Amino acid sequence: MENPRAVADAADSSEQESRFSRRQVLTVAGGALAGLTLGQAGAFAAESQDADAIVVGHGLAGLVATAELAAAGRKVLLLDQEPEAGLGGQAFWSFGGLFLVDSDEQRLMGVKDSHDLAWQDWLGTAGFDRGIDDPNGQDYWAYKWAQSYVEFASGEKRSWLSGLGVQWFPIVGWAERGGGLADGHGNSVPRFHVTWGTGPAVVEPFEKKVRAAVAAGKVTFKFRYRVDGLVTTGGAVTGVRGAVLEPSGAARGTASSRTVVGDFELRAPVVVVTSGGIGANHDLVRQNWPARLGTPPKSMVTGVPAHVDGRMLGITEQAGGRIVNPDRMWHYTEGLRNYAPIWPNHGIRILPGPSSMWFDAKGRRFNSPDIPGYDTLHTLGSITASGYDYSWFVTTQKILAKEFALSGSEQNPDLTNKNIWQLLSRIWQTPEPIEKFKKNGVDFVVADNLTDLVTGMNRLTGDNLIELADLKRQIEARDREIDNPYTKDVQVMGIRNALDYIGDSLSRTASIHRILDSSAGPLIAVRLNILTRKTLGGLQTDLSGRVLNSGGVPVPGLYAAGEVAGFGGGGVHGYRSLEGTFLGGCLFSGRQTGRAAAAATAT
């Protein structure tokens, strides 16, 4: 019989082969990280090591952590159950939005921002309430990570990324506007910086660094290595074990084979878990669904590929890691069923401007703050409270042409491919991906008059919940409010507020008009599905990325970064996100953790 390890190595045709010298004793000592003393001392004895560090997950956080470890001279094994085509993980598919504070782009747009204003918005949004002053509280480290992240976003984040070649579209987007009080949820000013090149351009500099480290013999890829358990010795994590899956030529995002061809056990004094969240595991999403968001939807679309299943959360918990805030999650309310799906039940999100009217399944208009682009989770709760799993936009072609954007690098070829002329064409025409969804997507109804629109809406759902007279009454009432430059309609106020911002008036907000104005038509109704996306809770970590146990003590040798750690501390966002903070959370926590792990393995 063949040796399983030999079978494993033969199966991974893409990985780089290297040998590492035997280490009899490795000292895990304190290291300085951004002025923070790790304060960890002691000796780690091991008879045999395969590397200085093992990183589990080759998404953005994993790439950043690996790049930092390699830059410090450490030898790293980078494992992932997916093939090489999946390098970069979810970040590759993203729109590339990054939360920056007081940036050059904001100043160009006339936006006045500051650390204090951003921190005010973060606290009002996060709503930390689970023991921020208790070292064993669920929000204790999350709060500290939030402080550090806002300082990072207000300070060196832009210059650090710019130095790596990252650039941004000059018009800053205004996401999660809140719509409540100054110290409540939402961004007081636009902070959503779209990367020129979208998600792939965020991944690119770190992939280049890691590939250069592979060529230099510092990093070894282990594609198709599925971790099934963490190896522990004397209470310390000393490696990983699992199954080697057969080679796969599956394209990025598509399902890859789960046929096992061997097993493995790899040893290192440090294991960094960067495996992502639970968004594709609807059973786990429903299991952790909080009562405050109502009854979990029976039907949802999926915003991430099938391999984003949350397995490593349970595996790391079994090794002693503490999971906190599992009920905090971020799912979108404006999901479309993808007419050309890449992964199972593939959903695409509309990133809406402020003008479409929003109705529940019975055609009842939502109240403030359930306005497009204002408060995602409040609106999610309102939708579930309606007793249905979907809602409706009623809008016009004029609004759709200027205000609709679609999430995903593949849905924005102009930005992703850095095609200036294609980007400029948005001025005079509806972007092609949006027109394709309008034509081919199952969630769109297009009509020249309201009667036909309602007929189409009821035909689409098959339940005849929309009453023409009632929908007409609500739309006409809103339309009467635009005759004056002032109004009592909160959404109309918001539209006028948006038009006062040059960035919105140029690219994201249609001139205000009556919905029933035939010159703005045709009329369009869009059925909106709940779309699963992000895990806001996760493994609790200190500011060095060390995973803590139930007593608040670091598990020796165990680190985590990215979504699996709630983007830092087990929940840096608290209850809600300001947007542009998921990629940024992977960047920051990956960098912080990689540097700390490198310091801890200094000999």
Side-chain angles (χ1 to χ4, degrees), residues 251-328:
R252 182 188 294 274
T254 62
S256 61
S257 166
R258 288 296 177 262
T259 299
V260 174
V261 296
D263 56 21
F264 69 88
E265 183 169 314
L266 299 167
R267 296 273 177 165
V270 162
V271 174
V272 183
V273 179
T274 60
S275 55
I278 67 172
N281 188 335
H282 287 198
D283 289 340
L284 200 54
V285 168
R286 292 188 180 97
Q287 178 182 320
N288 290 288
W289 192 273
R292 64 181 176 277
L293 291 180
T295 302
K298 294 179 180 178
S299 174
M300 298 182 283
V301 292
T302 308
V304 293
H307 64 260
V308 185
D309 55 12
R311 287 181 69 253
M312 282 304 300
L313 279 163
I315 289 169
T316 310
E317 186 177 34
Q318 289 174 3
R322 182 191 186 195
I323 296 174
V324 295
N325 302 310
D327 61 319
R328 293 179 182 170

Side-chain angles (χ1 to χ4, degrees), residues 422-461:
Q422 191 176 10
L423 179 65
L424 290 174
S425 71
R426 293 189 184 214
I427 297 173
W428 63 82
Q429 66 182 13
T430 307
E432 183 180 12
I434 295 171
E435 279 297 324
K436 284 184 175 179
F437 260 93
K438 190 182 79 172
K439 178 182 178 180
N440 302 314
V442 298
D443 296 305
F444 283 78
V445 179
V446 182
D448 291 326
N449 59 73
L450 190 60
T451 300
D452 290 346
L453 189 77
V454 169
T455 299
M457 294 165 73
N458 284 329
R459 183 188 304 119
L460 177 61
T461 59

Side-chain angles (χ1 to χ4, degrees), residues 60 91 94 96-98 161 166 195 197-206 583 587:
L60 182 59
S94 74
L98 291 171
L161 291 171
V166 180
T195 302
T198 66
V202 179
V203 172
E204 182 181 11
F206 303 100
L583 288 178
L587 291 167

Side-chain angles (χ1 to χ4, degrees), residues 444-504:
F444 283 78
V445 179
V446 182
D448 291 326
N449 59 73
L450 190 60
T451 300
D452 290 346
L453 189 77
V454 169
T455 299
M457 294 165 73
N458 284 329
R459 183 188 304 119
L460 177 61
T461 59
D463 48 23
N464 294 314
L465 294 175
I466 307 295
E467 295 184 4
L468 173 61
D470 192 44
L471 192 69
K472 182 180 180 182
R473 174 189 61 78
Q474 294 173 88
I475 295 174
E476 288 180 337
R478 176 267 185 201
D479 281 356
R480 293 187 189 101
E481 294 290 314
I482 69 169
D483 288 340
N484 296 288
Y486 40 84
T487 179
K488 71 176 182 179
D489 189 286
V490 172
Q491 184 175 9
V492 176
M493 292 181 196
I495 297 168
R496 297 196 186 283
N497 191 34
L499 290 170
D500 279 342
Y501 167 49
I502 187 172
D504 273 349

